[in-house]
Coordinates of all heavy atoms in Angstrom, one line a residue:
E1 N 0.8 -1.2 0.0 CA 0.0 0.0 0.0 C 0.8 1.3 0.0 O 0.6 2.2 -0.7 CB -0.9 0.0 1.2 CG -1.8 1.2 1.3 CD -3.0 1.1 0.3 OE1 -3.2 0.0 -0.2 OE2 -3.6 2.2 0.1
G2 N 2.0 1.2 0.7 CA 2.8 2.4 0.9 C 3.6 2.6 -0.4 O 3.7 3.8 -0.9
V3 N 3.9 1.5 -1.1 CA 4.7 1.7 -2.4 C 3.7 2.3 -3.4 O 4.2 3.2 -4.2 CB 5.2 0.3 -2.9 CG1 5.6 0.4 -4.4 CG2 6.3 -0.2 -2.0
V4 N 2.5 1.8 -3.6 CA 1.5 2.3 -4.6 C 1.3 3.8 -4.3 O 1.3 4.5 -5.2 CB 0.3 1.5 -4.6 CG1 -0.8 2.1 -5.5 CG2 0.6 0.0 -5.0
R5 N 1.0 4.1 -3.1 CA 0.7 5.5 -2.7 C 1.9 6.4 -3.0 O 1.7 7.5 -3.5 CB 0.3 5.6 -1.3 CG -1.1 4.9 -1.0 CD -1.7 5.5 0.3 NE -2.8 4.8 0.7 CZ -3.7 5.3 1.5 NH1 -3.6 6.5 2.0 NH2 -4.8 4.7 2.0
A6 N 3.1 5.9 -2.7 CA 4.3 6.8 -2.9 C 4.5 7.0 -4.4 O 4.9 8.0 -4.9 CB 5.5 6.2 -2.3
S7 N 4.3 5.9 -5.2 CA 4.4 6.0 -6.6 C 3.5 7.1 -7.2 O 3.8 7.8 -8.2 CB 4.2 4.7 -7.3 OG 4.3 4.8 -8.7
D8 N 2.2 7.1 -6.7 CA 1.3 8.1 -7.2 C 1.5 9.5 -6.8 O 1.0 10.5 -7.4 CB -0.1 7.7 -6.6 CG -0.8 6.5 -7.2 OD1 -0.3 6.2 -8.3 OD2 -1.6 5.9 -6.6
R9 N 2.5 9.7 -5.9 CA 2.9 11.0 -5.5 C 4.2 11.4 -6.1 O 5.3 11.0 -5.5 CB 3.0 11.3 -3.9 CG 3.2 12.7 -3.5 CD 3.4 12.8 -2.0 NE 3.6 14.2 -1.6 CZ 4.6 14.9 -1.7 NH1 5.8 14.3 -2.2 NH2 4.6 16.2 -1.3
V10 N 4.3 12.0 -7.2 CA 5.5 12.2 -7.9 C 6.4 13.2 -7.1 O 6.0 14.2 -6.6 CB 5.2 12.9 -9.3 CG1 6.5 13.1 -10.1 CG2 4.3 11.9 -10.1
A11 N 7.7 12.8 -7.0 CA 8.6 13.5 -6.1 C 8.8 14.9 -6.7 O 8.9 15.1 -8.0 CB 10.0 12.8 -6.1
A12 N 8.9 15.9 -5.8 CA 9.0 17.3 -6.2 C 10.3 17.9 -5.4 O 10.6 17.4 -4.4 CB 7.8 18.1 -5.9
P13 N 10.9 19.0 -5.9 CA 11.9 19.6 -5.3 C 11.4 20.1 -3.9 O 10.3 20.6 -3.8 CB 12.4 20.7 -6.2 CG 11.9 20.3 -7.6 CD 10.7 19.6 -7.4
N14 N 12.4 20.3 -3.0 CA 12.1 20.9 -1.7 C 12.5 22.4 -1.8 O 13.7 22.6 -1.8 CB 12.8 20.2 -0.6 CG 12.7 20.9 0.8 OD1 11.8 21.9 0.9 ND2 13.3 20.5 1.8
P15 N 11.5 23.4 -1.9 CA 12.0 24.7 -2.1 C 12.8 25.3 -0.9 O 13.4 26.3 -1.0 CB 10.6 25.4 -2.2 CG 9.6 24.6 -1.6 CD 10.1 23.2 -1.9
Q16 N 12.7 24.7 0.2 CA 13.4 25.1 1.4 C 14.8 24.5 1.6 O 15.5 24.8 2.6 CB 12.6 24.9 2.7 CG 11.6 25.9 3.0 CD 10.3 25.7 2.2 OE1 9.8 24.6 2.1 NE2 9.8 26.7 1.5
W17 N 15.2 23.6 0.6 CA 16.4 23.0 0.8 C 17.6 23.9 0.8 O 17.6 24.9 -0.1 CB 16.6 22.0 -0.4 CG 17.7 20.9 -0.1 CD1 17.6 19.8 0.5 CD2 19.0 21.1 -0.5 NE1 18.7 19.1 0.6 CE2 19.7 19.8 0.0 CE3 19.8 21.9 -1.2 CZ2 21.0 19.6 -0.2 CZ3 21.1 21.7 -1.4 CH2 21.7 20.6 -0.9
D18 N 18.5 23.8 1.6 CA 19.6 24.7 1.9 C 20.9 24.0 1.8 O 21.2 23.1 2.7 CB 19.4 25.4 3.3 CG 20.5 26.4 3.6 OD1 21.4 26.6 2.7 OD2 20.5 27.0 4.7
G19 N 21.8 24.3 0.9 CA 23.1 23.7 0.7 C 24.0 23.9 1.9 O 24.9 23.2 2.1
A20 N 23.8 25.0 2.7 CA 24.6 25.2 3.9 C 24.2 24.3 5.0 O 25.1 24.0 5.9 CB 24.5 26.7 4.3
H21 N 22.9 23.8 4.9 CA 22.5 22.9 5.9 C 21.7 21.8 5.2 O 20.5 21.7 5.3 CB 21.6 23.5 7.0 CG 22.4 24.7 7.7 ND1 22.3 25.9 7.3 CD2 23.2 24.6 8.9 CE1 23.0 26.7 8.1 NE2 23.5 25.9 9.0
P22 N 22.4 20.9 4.4 CA 21.7 20.0 3.5 C 20.9 19.0 4.2 O 21.3 18.3 5.2 CB 22.9 19.4 2.7 CG 24.1 19.6 3.6 CD 23.8 20.8 4.4
D23 N 19.7 18.7 3.8 CA 18.8 17.8 4.2 C 18.9 16.5 3.4 O 18.6 16.5 2.2 CB 17.4 18.3 4.1 CG 16.3 17.3 4.4 OD1 16.7 16.2 5.1 OD2 15.1 17.4 4.1
P24 N 19.3 15.5 4.0 CA 19.6 14.1 3.2 C 18.3 13.5 2.7 O 18.4 12.8 1.7 CB 20.2 13.2 4.3 CG 20.7 14.1 5.3 CD 19.8 15.2 5.4

């Protein structure tokens, strides 16, 4: 169920991502 639901939610960029404090 988790796999199917995750596949339906297309990955998007994180607009708050900060290279000085990178989020893995």
Side-chain angles (χ1 to χ4, degrees):
E1 182 74 17
V3 169
V4 172
R5 292 197 186 202
S7 177
D8 286 342
R9 186 186 186 279
V10 177
N14 177 5
Q16 278 79 48
W17 196 88
D18 180 4
H21 303 91
D23 171 17

